[in-house]
Amino acid sequence: MVTGPGEVRVRPRRRTRTAVLAGIAVAAVLGGVTFALGMPDGDDGGGSDRKGPVGSATVGAGKNEDVTASPSASVSSSPSSSASPSPSAKEEKEAPRTPATASTAPVDDGAANVVPLTVRTEPYAWESPCSQRYLVNRPASGVKPPPTEQDATAWVSSFGAVSSEKQYVRLTVQGTGDETVVVEELNVRVAGKRSPLAWNDFAMGYPGVGCGAGVPTRSFTVALDAARPVVTPESGQRDFPFSVSESDPEVYYVTADASAYDVSWYLELKWSSGSRSGTLTVDDKGRPFRTSGNNGRPAYEFPLGGEEWVPEGTTDIG
């Protein structure tokens, strides 16, 4: 009904009000039913045993975590590759999560991040049986006869032996492809120095049996007792750099000696190939090499054809 210019009076609608009230009543009833269904069995409503909603959550779904390389390997390249576009929402929901793992090599995100060489390490190689000795924390009666060189690693492991006076390490370095890789440097790092081990000293060579050994090419020495040990080429031999490829490997021989200390140590091999470069840690399967002095320690030898260890120098070699 119009009462004046520009003014309109609207008559109240009772049906609308009635419908609203009816809707509120229905909602209240449904709310009560929902609350009753949501209560766990036995819950008194106090909340002491109330459980949260059952469900699952995936953290970082669809995003591959960066695999962290261990300190034993690093690689860099220039220029760096551009970042790939982010996955769609559907891909993020469906793609499985990649677990983070440790590796001795960098993440394989393409050729730029692949170490192009491998290093095979033999920490218990022998320059000759006569030059090799081990310290063992056992009486002579509890130590087996000297092993052959190919069994030396197992013998050392079974007795917890430590290289005595010197350690002879053989490194075989090989490229993984046709490209040339330059081995620029080989450096020594000392992880710890202690007093020499107070253990018994066992010689691997049989008394009276001659031992001959020449100095192979690519031989180096390390004086572990020095304040700052360095890798030094044997007299008359050339120093780094060298180059390797898959078809042209190199073998390096490192003799580390110690007399005044028990030394834990490892090597770092620096390489480069084109725009890429990096450093590999060379050790004993993730542990430092260990070499100890043997001054003043009881020493033993094993007579050829004998049955037990005897004090060194007491074998009658006729």
Side-chain angles (χ1 to χ4, degrees), residues 16-40:
T16 302
R17 182 178 181 182
T18 303
V20 171
L21 292 176
I24 293 174
V26 172
V29 172
L30 292 177
V33 173
T34 303
F35 179 78
L37 292 176
M39 293 286 288

PDB file of all heavy atoms in Angstrom, residues 16-40:
ATOM      1  N   THR A  16       6.383 -16.603   6.103  1.00  0.00           N
ATOM      2  CA  THR A  16       7.875 -16.619   6.102  1.00  0.00           C
ATOM      3  C   THR A  16       8.405 -16.833   7.496  1.00  0.00           C
ATOM      4  O   THR A  16       9.318 -17.612   7.749  1.00  0.00           O
ATOM      5  CB  THR A  16       8.425 -15.305   5.537  1.00  0.00           C
ATOM      6  OG1 THR A  16       7.923 -15.131   4.234  1.00  0.00           O
ATOM      7  CG2 THR A  16       9.954 -15.322   5.509  1.00  0.00           C
ATOM      8  N   ARG A  17       7.829 -16.129   8.487  1.00  0.00           N
ATOM      9  CA  ARG A  17       8.297 -16.268   9.879  1.00  0.00           C
ATOM     10  C   ARG A  17       8.085 -17.685  10.363  1.00  0.00           C
ATOM     11  O   ARG A  17       8.907 -18.284  11.059  1.00  0.00           O
ATOM     12  CB  ARG A  17       7.546 -15.257  10.741  1.00  0.00           C
ATOM     13  CG  ARG A  17       7.981 -15.273  12.188  1.00  0.00           C
ATOM     14  CD  ARG A  17       7.237 -14.216  12.972  1.00  0.00           C
ATOM     15  NE  ARG A  17       7.648 -14.191  14.341  1.00  0.00           N
ATOM     16  CZ  ARG A  17       7.126 -13.388  15.266  1.00  0.00           C
ATOM     17  NH1 ARG A  17       6.155 -12.539  14.921  1.00  0.00           N
ATOM     18  NH2 ARG A  17       7.552 -13.443  16.512  1.00  0.00           N
ATOM     19  N   THR A  18       6.927 -18.224  10.022  1.00  0.00           N
ATOM     20  CA  THR A  18       6.624 -19.594  10.448  1.00  0.00           C
ATOM     21  C   THR A  18       7.620 -20.577   9.845  1.00  0.00           C
ATOM     22  O   THR A  18       8.105 -21.492  10.510  1.00  0.00           O
ATOM     23  CB  THR A  18       5.205 -19.966  10.001  1.00  0.00           C
ATOM     24  OG1 THR A  18       4.299 -19.033  10.540  1.00  0.00           O
ATOM     25  CG2 THR A  18       4.854 -21.385  10.465  1.00  0.00           C
ATOM     26  N   ALA A  19       7.976 -20.360   8.565  1.00  0.00           N
ATOM     27  CA  ALA A  19       8.947 -21.267   7.909  1.00  0.00           C
ATOM     28  C   ALA A  19      10.307 -21.184   8.558  1.00  0.00           C
ATOM     29  O   ALA A  19      11.006 -22.176   8.741  1.00  0.00           O
ATOM     30  CB  ALA A  19       9.030 -20.921   6.407  1.00  0.00           C
ATOM     31  N   VAL A  20      10.718 -19.967   8.930  1.00  0.00           N
ATOM     32  CA  VAL A  20      12.033 -19.804   9.572  1.00  0.00           C
ATOM     33  C   VAL A  20      12.079 -20.531  10.890  1.00  0.00           C
ATOM     34  O   VAL A  20      13.033 -21.223  11.240  1.00  0.00           O
ATOM     35  CB  VAL A  20      12.343 -18.311   9.757  1.00  0.00           C
ATOM     36  CG1 VAL A  20      13.590 -18.146  10.629  1.00  0.00           C
ATOM     37  CG2 VAL A  20      12.537 -17.638   8.405  1.00  0.00           C
ATOM     38  N   LEU A  21      11.010 -20.384  11.690  1.00  0.00           N
ATOM     39  CA  LEU A  21      10.986 -21.066  12.986  1.00  0.00           C
ATOM     40  C   LEU A  21      11.007 -22.564  12.818  1.00  0.00           C
ATOM     41  O   LEU A  21      11.668 -23.297  13.566  1.00  0.00           O
ATOM     42  CB  LEU A  21       9.720 -20.631  13.741  1.00  0.00           C
ATOM     43  CG  LEU A  21       9.677 -19.163  14.188  1.00  0.00           C
ATOM     44  CD1 LEU A  21       8.335 -18.836  14.837  1.00  0.00           C
ATOM     45  CD2 LEU A  21      10.825 -18.877  15.151  1.00  0.00           C
ATOM     46  N   ALA A  22      10.312 -23.044  11.806  1.00  0.00           N
ATOM     47  CA  ALA A  22      10.303 -24.493  11.564  1.00  0.00           C
ATOM     48  C   ALA A  22      11.677 -24.977  11.164  1.00  0.00           C
ATOM     49  O   ALA A  22      12.150 -26.020  11.593  1.00  0.00           O
ATOM     50  CB  ALA A  22       9.258 -24.821  10.468  1.00  0.00           C
ATOM     51  N   GLY A  23      12.369 -24.159  10.353  1.00  0.00           N
ATOM     52  CA  GLY A  23      13.735 -24.549   9.930  1.00  0.00           C
ATOM     53  C   GLY A  23      14.687 -24.616  11.104  1.00  0.00           C
ATOM     54  O   GLY A  23      15.545 -25.490  11.200  1.00  0.00           O
ATOM     55  N   ILE A  24      14.556 -23.660  12.024  1.00  0.00           N
ATOM     56  CA  ILE A  24      15.442 -23.658  13.194  1.00  0.00           C
ATOM     57  C   ILE A  24      15.201 -24.900  14.029  1.00  0.00           C
ATOM     58  O   ILE A  24      16.136 -25.548  14.521  1.00  0.00           O
ATOM     59  CB  ILE A  24      15.196 -22.396  14.030  1.00  0.00           C
ATOM     60  CG1 ILE A  24      15.649 -21.150  13.240  1.00  0.00           C
ATOM     61  CG2 ILE A  24      15.910 -22.480  15.372  1.00  0.00           C
ATOM     62  CD1 ILE A  24      15.312 -19.845  13.921  1.00  0.00           C
ATOM     63  N   ALA A  25      13.980 -25.308  14.178  1.00  0.00           N
ATOM     64  CA  ALA A  25      13.660 -26.500  14.970  1.00  0.00           C
ATOM     65  C   ALA A  25      14.255 -27.734  14.337  1.00  0.00           C
ATOM     66  O   ALA A  25      14.836 -28.592  15.006  1.00  0.00           O
ATOM     67  CB  ALA A  25      12.122 -26.622  15.097  1.00  0.00           C
ATOM     68  N   VAL A  26      14.120 -27.852  13.024  1.00  0.00           N
ATOM     69  CA  VAL A  26      14.688 -29.032  12.325  1.00  0.00           C
ATOM     70  C   VAL A  26      16.195 -29.065  12.469  1.00  0.00           C
ATOM     71  O   VAL A  26      16.823 -30.086  12.726  1.00  0.00           O
ATOM     72  CB  VAL A  26      14.303 -29.006  10.830  1.00  0.00           C
ATOM     73  CG1 VAL A  26      15.042 -30.115  10.084  1.00  0.00           C
ATOM     74  CG2 VAL A  26      12.793 -29.179  10.699  1.00  0.00           C
ATOM     75  N   ALA A  27      16.843 -27.887  12.337  1.00  0.00           N
ATOM     76  CA  ALA A  27      18.314 -27.832  12.462  1.00  0.00           C
ATOM     77  C   ALA A  27      18.751 -28.260  13.830  1.00  0.00           C
ATOM     78  O   ALA A  27      19.762 -28.933  14.016  1.00  0.00           O
ATOM     79  CB  ALA A  27      18.786 -26.409  12.152  1.00  0.00           C
ATOM     80  N   ALA A  28      17.994 -27.865  14.862  1.00  0.00           N
ATOM     81  CA  ALA A  28      18.356 -28.229  16.233  1.00  0.00           C
ATOM     82  C   ALA A  28      18.284 -29.720  16.417  1.00  0.00           C
ATOM     83  O   ALA A  28      19.132 -30.341  17.050  1.00  0.00           O
ATOM     84  CB  ALA A  28      17.424 -27.508  17.214  1.00  0.00           C
ATOM     85  N   VAL A  29      17.228 -30.325  15.853  1.00  0.00           N
ATOM     86  CA  VAL A  29      17.087 -31.791  15.971  1.00  0.00           C
ATOM     87  C   VAL A  29      18.225 -32.493  15.265  1.00  0.00           C
ATOM     88  O   VAL A  29      18.856 -33.398  15.781  1.00  0.00           O
ATOM     89  CB  VAL A  29      15.725 -32.234  15.380  1.00  0.00           C
ATOM     90  CG1 VAL A  29      15.663 -33.772  15.329  1.00  0.00           C
ATOM     91  CG2 VAL A  29      14.593 -31.684  16.219  1.00  0.00           C
ATOM     92  N   LEU A  30      18.530 -32.063  14.023  1.00  0.00           N
ATOM     93  CA  LEU A  30      19.630 -32.686  13.270  1.00  0.00           C
ATOM     94  C   LEU A  30      20.957 -32.484  13.970  1.00  0.00           C
ATOM     95  O   LEU A  30      21.808 -33.351  13.989  1.00  0.00           O
ATOM     96  CB  LEU A  30      19.689 -32.094  11.848  1.00  0.00           C
ATOM     97  CG  LEU A  30      18.513 -32.443  10.940  1.00  0.00           C
ATOM     98  CD1 LEU A  30      18.676 -31.736   9.595  1.00  0.00           C
ATOM     99  CD2 LEU A  30      18.409 -33.951  10.743  1.00  0.00           C
ATOM    100  N   GLY A  31      21.169 -31.297  14.562  1.00  0.00           N
ATOM    101  CA  GLY A  31      22.415 -31.042  15.286  1.00  0.00           C
ATOM    102  C   GLY A  31      22.572 -31.991  16.437  1.00  0.00           C
ATOM    103  O   GLY A  31      23.654 -32.505  16.738  1.00  0.00           O
ATOM    104  N   GLY A  32      21.500 -32.287  17.142  1.00  0.00           N
ATOM    105  CA  GLY A  32      21.564 -33.219  18.261  1.00  0.00           C
ATOM    106  C   GLY A  32      21.922 -34.603  17.793  1.00  0.00           C
ATOM    107  O   GLY A  32      22.690 -35.320  18.404  1.00  0.00           O
ATOM    108  N   VAL A  33      21.355 -35.009  16.641  1.00  0.00           N
ATOM    109  CA  VAL A  33      21.667 -36.340  16.097  1.00  0.00           C
ATOM    110  C   VAL A  33      23.125 -36.419  15.693  1.00  0.00           C
ATOM    111  O   VAL A  33      23.838 -37.374  15.964  1.00  0.00           O
ATOM    112  CB  VAL A  33      20.752 -36.646  14.894  1.00  0.00           C
ATOM    113  CG1 VAL A  33      21.189 -37.948  14.229  1.00  0.00           C
ATOM    114  CG2 VAL A  33      19.300 -36.723  15.362  1.00  0.00           C
ATOM    115  N   THR A  34      23.641 -35.345  15.015  1.00  0.00           N
ATOM    116  CA  THR A  34      25.049 -35.329  14.595  1.00  0.00           C
ATOM    117  C   THR A  34      25.977 -35.401  15.785  1.00  0.00           C
ATOM    118  O   THR A  34      26.976 -36.105  15.790  1.00  0.00           O
ATOM    119  CB  THR A  34      25.328 -34.052  13.782  1.00  0.00           C
ATOM    120  OG1 THR A  34      24.441 -34.006  12.689  1.00  0.00           O
ATOM    121  CG2 THR A  34      26.771 -34.033  13.307  1.00  0.00           C
ATOM    122  N   PHE A  35      25.698 -34.645  16.824  1.00  0.00           N
ATOM    123  CA  PHE A  35      26.535 -34.656  18.029  1.00  0.00           C
ATOM    124  C   PHE A  35      26.549 -36.043  18.647  1.00  0.00           C
ATOM    125  O   PHE A  35      27.584 -36.546  19.085  1.00  0.00           O
ATOM    126  CB  PHE A  35      25.997 -33.626  19.022  1.00  0.00           C
ATOM    127  CG  PHE A  35      26.784 -33.586  20.307  1.00  0.00           C
ATOM    128  CD1 PHE A  35      28.010 -32.939  20.343  1.00  0.00           C
ATOM    129  CD2 PHE A  35      26.309 -34.211  21.466  1.00  0.00           C
ATOM    130  CE1 PHE A  35      28.745 -32.902  21.496  1.00  0.00           C
ATOM    131  CE2 PHE A  35      27.057 -34.167  22.618  1.00  0.00           C
ATOM    132  CZ  PHE A  35      28.272 -33.518  22.644  1.00  0.00           C
ATOM    133  N   ALA A  36      25.362 -36.695  18.687  1.00  0.00           N
ATOM    134  CA  ALA A  36      25.301 -38.025  19.275  1.00  0.00           C
ATOM    135  C   ALA A  36      26.112 -39.013  18.463  1.00  0.00           C
ATOM    136  O   ALA A  36      26.810 -39.857  18.993  1.00  0.00           O
ATOM    137  CB  ALA A  36      23.831 -38.480  19.359  1.00  0.00           C
ATOM    138  N   LEU A  37      26.080 -38.921  17.119  1.00  0.00           N
ATOM    139  CA  LEU A  37      26.855 -39.821  16.280  1.00  0.00           C
ATOM    140  C   LEU A  37      28.346 -39.566  16.393  1.00  0.00           C
ATOM    141  O   LEU A  37      29.159 -40.456  16.283  1.00  0.00           O
ATOM    142  CB  LEU A  37      26.420 -39.657  14.801  1.00  0.00           C
ATOM    143  CG  LEU A  37      25.004 -40.142  14.473  1.00  0.00           C
ATOM    144  CD1 LEU A  37      24.689 -39.837  13.014  1.00  0.00           C
ATOM    145  CD2 LEU A  37      24.858 -41.633  14.750  1.00  0.00           C
ATOM    146  N   GLY A  38      28.733 -38.320  16.623  1.00  0.00           N
ATOM    147  CA  GLY A  38      30.155 -37.975  16.697  1.00  0.00           C
ATOM    148  C   GLY A  38      30.796 -38.359  18.002  1.00  0.00           C
ATOM    149  O   GLY A  38      32.007 -38.350  18.133  1.00  0.00           O
ATOM    150  N   MET A  39      30.031 -38.682  19.039  1.00  0.00           N
ATOM    151  CA  MET A  39      30.598 -39.036  20.333  1.00  0.00           C
ATOM    152  C   MET A  39      31.116 -40.458  20.293  1.00  0.00           C
ATOM    153  O   MET A  39      30.415 -41.378  19.892  1.00  0.00           O
ATOM    154  CB  MET A  39      29.509 -38.929  21.413  1.00  0.00           C
ATOM    155  CG  MET A  39      29.030 -37.510  21.664  1.00  0.00           C
ATOM    156  SD  MET A  39      30.232 -36.557  22.574  1.00  0.00           S
ATOM    157  CE  MET A  39      30.051 -37.329  24.171  1.00  0.00           C
ATOM    158  N   PRO A  40      32.391 -40.712  20.706  1.00  0.00           N
ATOM    159  CA  PRO A  40      32.887 -42.081  20.751  1.00  0.00           C
ATOM    160  C   PRO A  40      32.184 -42.846  21.846  1.00  0.00           C
ATOM    161  O   PRO A  40      31.645 -42.294  22.797  1.00  0.00           O
ATOM    162  CB  PRO A  40      34.381 -41.884  21.053  1.00  0.00           C
ATOM    163  CG  PRO A  40      34.461 -40.570  21.735  1.00  0.00           C
ATOM    164  CD  PRO A  40      33.376 -39.737  21.139  1.00  0.00           C
TER     165      PRO A  40
END
